[in-house]
């Protein structure tokens, strides 16, 4: 027995499917706490560098790298914005971790350039100032980058 679906019913069904697809794509993101944690850690690393003790700077750098590697290995897939939904890997794509990693490398390079420029200008806490620049870029640019990636997925 075949049941015929009217044009209005078909449109409503397709609209419902599209709404659900967009809801899933909206879940492709990193948790807000990641951006805040990364920004705060970056500033703390800048402050540790300004302290001037090579042991403190080295320990802070290693701790920052280890903690970020542990967190990023889980989050950089973009599939776990919240505990409510885990997006399929095929929906997100394979390039997201690469894009995020490249963004952090570019931000590190920009921090170094800003730090040297601020130091050349005579500022006393060049690393902290550069880290604040990076933290601002993280808090503003991270969510914007993820929104751009979600638009591409859609």
């Amino acid at each position: 027995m075949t049941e015929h679906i009217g044009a209005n019913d078909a449109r409503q069904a397709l609209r419902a499917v599209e709404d659900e697809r967009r809801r899933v794509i909206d879940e492709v993101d990193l948790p807000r706490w990641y951006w805040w944690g990364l920004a705060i850690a970056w500033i703390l690393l800048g402050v540790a560098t300004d302290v001037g003790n090579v042991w403190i700077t080295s320990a802070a750098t290693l701790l920052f790298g280890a903690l970020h590697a542990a967190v990023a290995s889980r989050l950089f897939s973009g599939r776990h914005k919240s505990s409510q939904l885990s997006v399929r890997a095929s929906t997100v794509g394979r390039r997201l971790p690469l894009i995020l990693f490249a963004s952090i490398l570019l931000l590190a390079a920009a921090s170094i350039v800003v730090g040297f420029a601020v130091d050349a200008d005579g500022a006393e806490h060049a690393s902290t100032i550069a880290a604040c620049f990076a933290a601002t870029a993280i808090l503003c640019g991270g969510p914007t980058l993820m929104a751009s990636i979600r638009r591409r997925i859609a």
Side-chain angles (χ1 to χ4, degrees):
M1 181 185 257
T2 305
E3 187 177 325
H4 293 282
I5 298 175
N8 286 336
D9 291 338
R11 274 192 286 277
Q12 285 177 336
L14 288 172
R15 194 173 305 123
V17 168
E18 182 61 23
D19 290 346
E20 286 302 309
R21 186 178 84 76
R22 287 180 192 216
R23 189 179 72 77
V24 169
I25 290 172
D26 284 345
E27 287 294 316
V28 175
D29 205 344
L30 300 179
R32 189 170 297 272
W33 61 260
Y34 169 77
W35 302 114
W36 280 97
L38 183 60
I40 291 167
W42 210 294
I43 291 171
L44 292 175
L45 185 58
V47 170
T49 303
D50 278 335
V51 167
N53 183 315
V54 71
W55 293 106
I56 292 174
T57 302
S58 298
T61 303
L62 290 173
L63 182 64
F64 176 86
L67 285 173
H68 189 263
V71 170
S73 67
R74 167 96 168 119
L75 296 180
F76 270 23
S77 69
R79 298 174 51 210
H80 307 287
K81 174 184 174 184
S82 68
S83 59
Q84 297 173 357
L85 176 69
S86 181
V87 181
R88 294 181 126 208
S90 61
T91 302
V92 177
R94 295 182 180 183
R95 289 186 283 169
L96 180 60
L98 180 62
I99 291 168
L100 291 171
F101 184 70
S103 298
I104 288 176
L105 285 178
L106 286 172
L107 188 57
S111 294
I112 292 167
V113 169
V114 169
F116 279 125
V118 170
D119 185 55
D121 197 37
E124 287 188 34
H125 304 287
S127 294
T128 302
I129 293 169
C132 289
F133 161 80
T136 302
I138 289 165
L139 292 175
C140 296
T144 303
L145 174 65
M146 291 306 296
S148 172
I149 290 169
R150 281 193 302 277
R151 281 192 300 275
R152 277 191 159 166
I153 292 171

